[in-house]
Amino acid sequence: MRGQASCCPVTMEQYHTLEAVLDGPKSMKALAAEVGYHQSTMTRIVEKLDAQELILRVRKRPSQRHIEVEITDKGTQVCLSMRDGCSQMIAWILDAIPNEQQELVVQSMESLT
């Protein structure tokens, strides 16, 4: 599992950020609130994603300080690919658990989230 996770092109924090903008552009403030990171942390994450051309930062008028973040086609591909990989990993983990215990594990994870 570590090998699968380490081959990903972005960190989990970056992945969560991509997922948050998958449904449309968001302001930095709204993005930080949705993902649950401090704005300074969000800025660093967005800068790295921008450098990889996975997102775009768009300055909105009239205030040049207001920035919206939107996902690129490349970012969408990375995000969806990682989502599929995560789903496969979860299925693999659940397959290792006896059938009669799988529902309990799923319920426990839902409670944790």
Side-chain angles (χ1 to χ4, degrees), residues 55-73:
I55 57 101
L56 293 173
R57 291 183 287 179
V58 180
R59 293 197 185 276
K60 293 292 181 177
R61 295 193 185 264
S63 170
Q64 288 293 313
R65 293 182 64 193
H66 181 78
I67 296 174
E68 280 198 348
V69 178
E70 58 187 61
I71 196 164
T72 63
D73 290 341

Side-chain angles (χ1 to χ4, degrees), residues 11-76:
T11 65
M12 289 310 291
E13 292 84 4
Q14 292 169 337
Y15 168 70
H16 293 303
T17 302
L18 290 173
E19 275 228 316
V21 293
L22 199 54
D23 62 348
K26 291 190 174 55
S27 70
M28 287 292 289
K29 185 176 182 177
L31 183 57
E34 182 172 332
V35 179
Y37 298 131
H38 189 273
Q39 268 195 276
S40 62
T41 302
M42 190 84 271
T43 298
R44 287 190 300 276
I45 292 169
V46 166
E47 285 172 352
K48 289 178 183 177
L49 290 170
D50 188 28
Q52 293 179 298
E53 299 178 346
L54 301 177
I55 57 101
L56 293 173
R57 291 183 287 179
V58 180
R59 293 197 185 276
K60 293 292 181 177
R61 295 193 185 264
S63 170
Q64 288 293 313
R65 293 182 64 193
H66 181 78
I67 296 174
E68 280 198 348
V69 178
E70 58 187 61
I71 196 164
T72 63
D73 290 341
K74 181 179 175 183
T76 299

Side-chain angles (χ1 to χ4, degrees), residues 3-12 82 86 89:
Q4 279 184 303
S6 66
C7 72
C8 298
V10 296
T11 65
M12 289 310 291
M82 286 186 68
C86 288
M89 190 179 301

